[in-house]
Amino acid sequence: MEDFYYGEGGLRCEDVALAEIAESVGTPTYIYSHAALERAYRELDEAFSGLDHMVCFAVKANSNLAVLRALASFGAGADIVSGGELYRAMKAGFDPKKVVFAGVGKTEDELVAGMGERILLFNVESASELEHLERCAARHGKTARVSLRVNPDVDPGTHAHISTGQGESKFGIPVDEALALAERVGEYRCVELIGVHQHIGSQITKLGPYAESVEKSAGLVEELKSRGLDIKYFNIGGGLGIRYRDEEAPTPKEFVDAVRPTLEAIGASGTKIICEMGRYIAGNAGALLTRVIYRKKSGAKSFLVADAGMNDLLRPSLYDAYHEVRSVNDGAGAALSDLVGPVCESGDYLARDRALPDAAEGDLLAVMSAGAYGFSMASNYNSRPRPAEVLVKGNRWSVVREREHLADLIKGEIVPAFL
Ligand code: LLP
């Protein structure tokens, strides 16, 4: 997280002191570094150099329009999983020819919207979806380009909630079924099968399973080609892990080099490689800025009660995820405590039983590595307005999403006349 460092005014993001942002925008607030987004994107892009490739950004990791606009401007494509993400991707200016659409439950409206934008590929996850897509396409006089999302049945060695490529997972199609489906695809008139897709999970820090799954799926690409199908795209998915604490995650170069011979062999016969990373690009590009409201002791336990909670950053509560907590003014020593939010659940914590900055009431803290699956998983639980988001670029910064107002909380709610 080199774009967040201590300097003049305490913890800074690029050339801006976080305290200055908190002063003006309040807390809790997500802060994103433009330089960090760009560096991570370029690192991935360069790792694939020599191969015909496209790096997509998984919009679910961070769907803020300004973040998406920045990524589109670097040349990234977009990996989307809903009509809502398609809407955002189009508003942000992604080229539809760089948009791939995954997800096990795409509805007719979503399929039609994707075809309407002429996106590059639908990553189809079942025989039923393929049939549905064919019917929708025929009904609306459209055509669709398709990748089959294969389930390579490999354990990615990550948290169970974010493993997607094992046998019992709801995601993807087993390899043998994919072959059978590909045999039948010639019967369809409006869908064209031109790709193979896989995604085995997220926050993967071991090369072994990743490489194994790429090899397996590459085998399917070769098999389909040998059966005369023109497989123009091989999407190896996302999932590259980042360092939250002390994880030894492979670099993009190490990751690509581990499968380079396979990708080169496939590329030599004209297949383009796609990857769709979310966390690697945005995770360490963001922090959540929060203020300590109270200090509290309960028996032997010490608590820092902050103004950000599980509704703002769900990862610690949901996955017991570790996020480093830094003091913004850099003065505080460390003390064993929990950093908790104001939400009425015992599971509402940002850090537990940790040596945390010994912050005073009113002090600012930064919860690091919160650029991916932070705001995008935030909710209004406990009727808490969602935080503001700020993008920093050099010495400039801008609010890129206003803090929600109380009126936003009841937007769309109706008290019927019979009450
Ligand atoms: N492609 C597909 C089909 C996916 O399902 C995902 C993530 C990605 C790409 C991007 O994966 P990434 O590169 O970001 O690891 N909320 C969880 C992560 C859920 C990931 C879901 N799918 C978390 O906070 O850890």
Side-chain angles (χ1 to χ4, degrees):
M1 303 212 60
E2 55 204 274
D3 299 290
F4 291 85
Y5 63 96
Y6 288 103
E8 195 190 325
L11 190 59
R12 299 167 71 81
C13 175
E14 301 192 28
D15 300 332
V16 181
L18 296 189
E20 175 194 327
I21 298 175
E23 191 62 40
S24 148
V25 178
T27 50
T29 293
Y30 277 95
I31 317 275
Y32 309 124
S33 157
H34 184 274
L37 289 168
E38 180 159 18
R39 179 173 318 106
Y41 168 77
R42 302 240 180 263
E43 230 185 304
L44 274 166
D45 193 42
E46 275 155 30
F48 286 94
S49 64
L51 291 157
D52 186 13
H53 71 277
M54 172 168 80
V55 175
C56 290
F57 176 62
V59 171
K60 65 174 83 64
N62 188 322
S63 344
N64 181 278
L65 209 54
V67 167
L68 297 181
R69 174 68 56 90
L71 284 156
S73 78
F74 307 151
D79 157 46
I80 60 167
V81 290
S82 69
E85 288 189 355
L86 175 65
Y87 175 76
R88 282 181 178 279
M90 294 300 97
K91 289 274 179 210
F94 281 100
D95 178 351
K97 287 190 222 67
K98 292 185 178 178
V99 173
V100 296
F101 195 161
V104 288
K106 303 179 199 79
T107 63
E108 173 155 1
D109 284 351
E110 291 176 321
L111 294 172
V112 170
M115 287 187 281
E117 297 291 353
R118 304 177 143 273
I119 63 165
L120 180 66
L121 284 166
F122 289 91
N123 295 329
V124 165
E125 304 234 9
S126 63
S128 297
E129 185 190 340
L130 191 63
E131 215 169 280
H132 190 204
L133 182 57
E134 162 74 10
R135 264 186 279 120
C136 292
R139 199 175 314 131
H140 293 270
K142 301 205 182 303
T143 53
R145 286 170 296 271
V146 162
S147 275
L148 293 183
R149 176 171 179 178
V150 65
N151 179 344
D153 195 11
V154 172
D155 179 356
T158 181
H159 193 289
H161 287 9
I162 52 176
S163 297
T164 51
Q166 287 157 282
E168 326 78 70
S169 157
K170 72 172 176 177
F171 297 101
I173 306 169
V175 176
D176 47 346
E177 274 179 44
L179 280 170
L181 202 54
E183 288 290 308
R184 297 210 309 272
V185 90
E187 296 163 19
Y188 293 127
R189 301 212 338 270
C190 304
V191 300
E192 199 191 350
L193 173 58
I194 55 167
V196 167
H197 171 232
Q198 66 146 39
H199 171 77
I200 62 166
S202 197
Q203 182 57 11
I204 302 170
T205 53
K206 302 253 178 312
L207 277 179
Y210 213 136
E212 186 188 341
S213 69
V214 169
E215 306 286 344
K216 275 199 181 176
S217 304
L220 178 65
V221 174
E222 298 292 9
E223 180 59 31
L224 292 175
K225 283 183 172 182
S226 75
R227 295 183 184 196
L229 280 148
D230 185 10
I231 302 298
K232 296 189 172 79
Y233 300 94
F234 177 31
N235 182 342
I236 64 173
L240 192 59
I242 60 168
R243 176 174 289 195
Y244 285 96
R245 184 183 199 170
D246 50 10
E247 299 91 336
E248 293 288 336
T251 63
K253 184 164 181 335
E254 285 165 344
F255 156 63
V256 175
D257 285 351
V259 288
R260 186 169 274 276
T262 307
L263 298 184
E264 273 172 357
I266 280 186
S269 51
T271 299
K272 185 171 185 145
I273 309 299
I274 301 176
C275 79
E276 43 184 33
M277 299 293 173
R279 190 188 316 267
Y280 190 82
I281 294 174
N284 277 330
L288 174 61
L289 196 53
T290 180
R291 201 177 279 283
V292 175
I293 315 173
Y294 301 115
R295 290 172 61 108
K296 175 171 179 173
K297 272 201 180 297
S298 201
K301 297 237 1 157
S302 297
F303 296 96
L304 297 172
V305 184
D307 63 3
M310 66 188 287
N311 73 294
D312 304 301
L313 178 64
L314 185 59
R315 302 193 71 258
S317 303
L318 190 58
Y319 314 114
D320 207 19
Y322 179 100
H323 286 261
E324 185 189 351
V325 177
R326 290 195 195 168
S327 125
V328 168
N329 57 20
D330 196 22
L336 186 69
S337 48
D338 286 13
L339 177 63
V340 300
V343 172
C344 297
E345 298 226 11
S346 298
D348 174 31
Y349 65 91
L350 298 174
R352 221 166 28 174
D353 290 326
R354 295 241 306 261
L356 295 174
D358 193 15
E361 293 180 359
D363 279 0
L364 290 168
L365 296 174
V367 184
M368 308 307 291
S369 309
Y373 307 107
F375 188 93
S376 66
M377 291 174 76
S379 77
N380 291 123
Y381 187 42
N382 277 205
S383 283
R384 290 168 47 78
R386 283 179 296 173
E389 293 176 284
V390 163
L391 182 66
V392 177
K393 186 179 181 196
N395 59 8
R396 288 178 293 172
W397 63 272
S398 172
V399 172
V400 292
R401 191 180 209 274
E402 286 178 13
R403 183 177 313 290
E404 283 180 339
H405 301 284
L406 293 178
D408 295 325
L409 295 174
I410 54 169
K411 182 165 181 278
E413 291 181 25
I414 293 161
V415 178
F418 53 73
L419 286 182

